[in-house]
Amino acid sequence: MDRIPILKMGDFLLVTIQVDMHDRLAVQLQDDLTARVSQTGARGVLMDISSLEIVDSFIGRMLANIAAMARVLAAQTVVVGMQPAVAITLVELGLTLPGVRTALNIEKGMALLNNSVAITLEPGSSHTRKDAGSPD
Amino acid sequence: MTATADSNISRILKSHEEPILDEWMRDQMASFRQGGRISERELRGQSTEFLNLLQVALQTGTDVQAPAFNRVRDMLGDLSRARALQGFSPAETAIFVFSLKRPLFERFRQELGNDVRALADANWAATELLDKLGLYTTEVYQKGREEVISRQQQELLELSTPVVKLWEGVLALPMIGTLDSARTQVVMESLLQRIVETGAEIAIIDITGVPTVDTLTAQHLIKTVTAARLMGADCIISGIRPQIAQTIVHLGVDLADVSTKATLADAFRLALGRTGQTVARLARGT
Amino acid sequence: MPVRRTETLLIRTSADIVAARQIVRTWCVDVAFSLVDQTKMVTAASELARNTLDYGGGGTLLLEQLDEGTRRGVRLTFDDKGPGIPDIDRALQDGYTSGNGLGLGLGGARRLVNDFRISSTVGGGTTVVITRWK
């Protein structure tokens, strides 16, 4: 079955959704992302939805779930590139995407993540990577 | 009843076509008070075409909405639009159809005069038919006017609420005049579009020039701010006059979540701050 | 109301929800809806198609293009023979944050369209008809 690719960009994971997802694909993405965040110890997840023309309640819940899951694994999620028509429709639907931060594009999304990560990484604080063999 | 009336109309129109056309032409030319707007030749062409199309359509009945009457309606639509451009009033254009009644009824009387019932039926069926067709020309005229108005409204809208780039990453939308629901929606959509195009993270919606706001409009403003946030930008509403502030409180609209500033200048200062910028006075001598 | 053309789609799997979105989009483009109106209609269709599948156990979507002379529109009828909705008023009120688990999204879908009709009987199924005009 086709899967949505997850790219690793340094400390972050980038997911670009370009297809009209059917439900199974969306659930698969959630599972895949959870596994990858856990594996890589990524500090942030960027979801690029600039090609997504429809976000209904199912997709909306998926995005919120991903953000919640990532937070449990100490990662921030930023959704970027939402189209105006989609934003207007979501507001009308009453869908608020709780716990999901947003940015206009990938560049700004990464800046947002970098700032957040920088704040949590003060000198002297410990920060372990799950896959790294380096001592604390 | 209708079947016989229909076939009578069709038959009589066909067999008396020439005299009907001539009389109809005479009546029409007589009704035009201003000469020269349409030549007799052009009018005869239109009248002949109408009669021909009508005859073909009548073969299947007198229902003007039926597909058989498509070409008749199309021709009348074109005629109505052309006449409007030539400066005719919608009433004058409708008379094109209505004035066909008299010569037609005259022929009905000649052919069906002995059969009172058949004459009455034919008169009624023809009246209904021509009334509907005449009214159709008026509808087409009306629709044409509405399209012009709609187009002008659109242009006015675009001209009156431009989205301007105040600074790097800061857009401003100065709104002037009364905001109605439709206008607000259009303007808000274009604001969101500009946010995407420019990558501006802050949009200042200035309503200094707006005298009053109703619930619907206030809700639209809030929806716009919410939508902008979903996209990754934010809005500041500035220029809220005391009266509008009162109205908003009165209406119970919740602005708790939305940044507001009294003046556009204050909003601009806030926007700069949020994007990590500031305005500083130059030292003397520089 | 003159119906210019119709088409029926079966909703039996989640792939059909995607198909429903795509065909509704095409119809909205044909009637020349603005992009925002298209998005609203397709999103509403997605919500209702999902309801038909998840809650109604599958059903049909009937698409109709309406032509009233002065205006054109698209009408969608979602029909299922599932358990039906016991309290329609409450279902229409429920938002996504109410947490009642049903997540019907009916109230939201209603706000996205010009005309919204619903009829449902317990044990007899549900029919939802939505219309959007240009």
Side-chain angles (χ1 to χ4, degrees):
Chain A
M1 180 179 80
D2 49 343
R3 291 165 122 86
I4 298 189
I6 301 172
L7 295 179
K8 186 165 187 303
M9 292 176 68
D11 262 348
F12 308 138
L13 297 178
L14 171 63
V15 180
T16 305
I17 303 178
Q18 283 177 318
V19 295
D20 194 358
M21 287 185 290
H22 51 80
D23 296 0
R24 254 204 327 277
L25 195 58
V27 171
Q28 184 75 54
L29 177 60
Q30 270 181 234
D31 293 343
D32 285 352
L33 258 178
T34 311
R36 283 300 287 278
V37 172
S38 174
Q39 266 169 27
T40 62
R43 306 295 284 167
V45 175
L46 279 161
M47 313 267 321
D48 179 3
I49 60 168
S50 53
S51 300
L52 219 50
E53 293 178 331
I54 300 290
V55 174
D56 65 1
S57 63
F58 190 85
I59 308 290
R61 270 197 293 276
M62 178 200 79
L63 292 172
N65 286 345
I66 287 174
M69 164 279 290
R71 202 172 320 115
V72 167
L73 293 172
Q76 297 258 4
T77 307
V78 181
V79 169
V80 313
M82 184 179 297
Q83 296 180 6
V86 170
I88 291 172
T89 304
L90 283 181
V91 172
E92 207 70 55
L93 256 184
L95 204 53
T96 54
L97 298 188
V100 176
R101 302 174 72 184
T102 56
L104 286 173
N105 52 47
I106 293 180
E107 188 189 329
K108 293 195 196 297
M110 296 224 331
L112 197 59
L113 283 173
N114 276 323
N115 288 339
S116 318
V117 172
I119 289 169
T120 56
L121 278 187
E122 286 152 308
S125 73
S126 64
H127 157 227
T128 43
R129 280 181 178 277
K130 295 213 171 137
D131 58 349
S134 55
D136 287 333
Chain B
M1 165 190 94
T2 34
T4 329
D6 289 356
S7 64
N8 275 339
I9 296 172
S10 184
R11 178 177 59 81
I12 294 172
L13 181 58
K14 197 177 172 98
S15 58
H16 292 266
E17 190 182 339
E18 280 293 327
I20 286 178
L21 178 63
D22 285 342
E23 267 185 43
W24 184 29
M25 280 293 303
R26 266 205 313 276
D27 288 350
Q28 286 188 78
M29 293 303 294
S31 82
F32 288 148
R33 284 187 215 113
Q34 284 175 24
R37 269 191 299 174
I38 184 167
S39 70
E40 177 167 348
R41 189 170 152 169
E42 194 183 343
L43 185 61
R44 182 170 282 270
Q46 289 170 349
S47 307
T48 310
E49 191 190 351
F50 181 68
L51 283 182
N52 287 342
L53 291 174
L54 189 60
Q55 280 188 55
V56 171
L58 280 172
Q59 283 165 17
T60 50
T62 52
D63 177 8
V64 299
Q65 293 297 330
F69 272 82
N70 283 352
R71 293 193 61 196
V72 176
R73 289 202 312 280
D74 288 346
M75 182 251 166
L76 286 178
D78 291 343
L79 183 103
S80 178
R81 280 183 281 270
R83 291 279 179 99
L85 285 174
Q86 284 169 313
F88 287 88
S89 74
E92 286 171 322
T93 306
I95 286 175
F96 172 79
V97 176
F98 293 147
S99 55
L100 179 55
K101 286 187 197 177
R102 211 184 59 79
L104 193 59
F105 289 2
E106 178 57 34
R107 299 303 168 310
F108 286 171
R109 201 185 56 77
Q110 287 174 15
E111 291 271 335
L112 304 170
N114 296 326
D115 184 348
V116 174
R117 179 101 174 247
L119 177 60
D121 287 349
N123 275 354
W124 175 240
T127 300
E128 259 200 323
L129 172 72
L130 293 178
D131 281 352
K132 282 180 188 161
L133 289 176
L135 286 174
Y136 179 76
T137 63
T138 316
E139 269 177 32
V140 171
Y141 177 89
Q142 198 78 345
K143 185 143 189 259
R145 303 304 295 160
E146 277 165 22
E147 276 166 20
V148 169
I149 292 174
S150 167
R151 200 169 53 238
Q152 287 177 340
Q153 274 180 339
Q154 189 66 28
E155 283 170 17
L156 206 58
L157 208 53
E158 283 162 22
L159 286 174
S160 64
T161 40
V163 177
V164 296
K165 181 177 168 186
L166 267 191
W167 204 251
E168 287 303 320
V170 182
L171 294 178
L173 178 59
M175 305 209 63
I176 313 238
T178 323
L179 296 177
D180 65 39
S181 182
R183 184 177 169 206
T184 315
Q185 273 189 315
V186 169
V187 164
M188 296 314 174
E189 282 174 31
S190 77
L191 174 63
L192 295 177
Q193 191 58 41
R194 290 290 287 153
I195 288 175
V196 170
E197 285 166 13
T198 61
E201 285 177 319
I202 303 201
I204 301 172
I205 303 174
D206 183 76
I207 58 173
T208 309
V210 175
T212 57
V213 163
D214 63 11
T215 321
L216 218 51
T217 308
Q219 283 170 353
H220 274 307
L221 282 173
I222 293 174
K223 279 183 193 171
T224 304
V225 177
T226 313
R229 288 205 180 129
L230 274 175
M231 287 165 53
D234 202 359
C235 297
I236 305 169
I237 301 183
S238 68
I240 302 181
R241 297 165 173 211
Q243 299 97 306
I244 295 190
Q246 275 179 11
T247 310
I248 289 178
V249 169
H250 210 63
L251 293 172
V253 172
D254 186 9
L255 274 187
D257 223 10
V258 179
S259 300
T260 56
K261 283 291 173 192
T263 66
L264 179 51
D266 291 338
F268 185 47
R269 194 172 300 121
L270 176 63
L272 283 182
R274 283 205 195 151
T275 54
Q277 303 173 92
T278 189
V279 177
R281 194 175 289 281
L282 292 173
R284 253 183 221 238
T286 44
Chain C
M1 181 145 336
V3 174
R4 217 159 231 260
R5 59 173 171 137
T6 71
E7 194 167 336
T8 304
L9 189 72
L10 292 179
I11 301 178
R12 277 174 311 197
T13 68
S14 69
D16 293 332
I17 299 179
V18 178
R21 290 206 282 261
Q22 286 167 355
I23 192 176
V24 171
R25 164 82 68 183
T26 309
W27 278 53
C28 289
V29 169
D30 286 346
V31 177
F33 281 171
S34 72
L35 181 59
V36 174
D37 287 350
Q38 284 177 36
T39 308
K40 287 181 176 175
M41 194 59 164
V42 175
T43 306
S46 189
E47 295 296 325
L48 295 174
R50 182 162 287 112
N51 277 359
T52 303
L53 181 64
D54 292 348
Y55 192 70
T60 58
L61 160 60
L62 169 68
L63 298 101
E64 294 171 287
Q65 185 182 327
L66 307 175
D67 195 333
E68 262 189 345
T70 45
R71 60 176 187 170
R72 296 207 289 170
V74 174
R75 182 166 67 197
L76 307 176
T77 305
F78 295 84
D79 188 78
D80 69 68
K81 301 286 176 268
I85 302 171
D87 189 342
I88 294 185
D89 285 335
R90 186 141 171 276
L92 282 171
Q93 276 171 28
D94 286 339
Y96 296 94
T97 52
S98 71
N100 73 344
L102 278 181
L104 289 181
L106 286 176
R110 177 159 71 164
R111 286 190 287 276
L112 294 178
V113 299
N114 297 132
D115 199 77
F116 179 99
R117 312 231 172 150
I118 180 169
S119 60
S120 185
T121 53
V122 176
T126 307
T127 304
V128 181
V129 186
I130 56 174
T131 312
R132 232 200 132 91
W133 297 99
K134 166 148 171 71

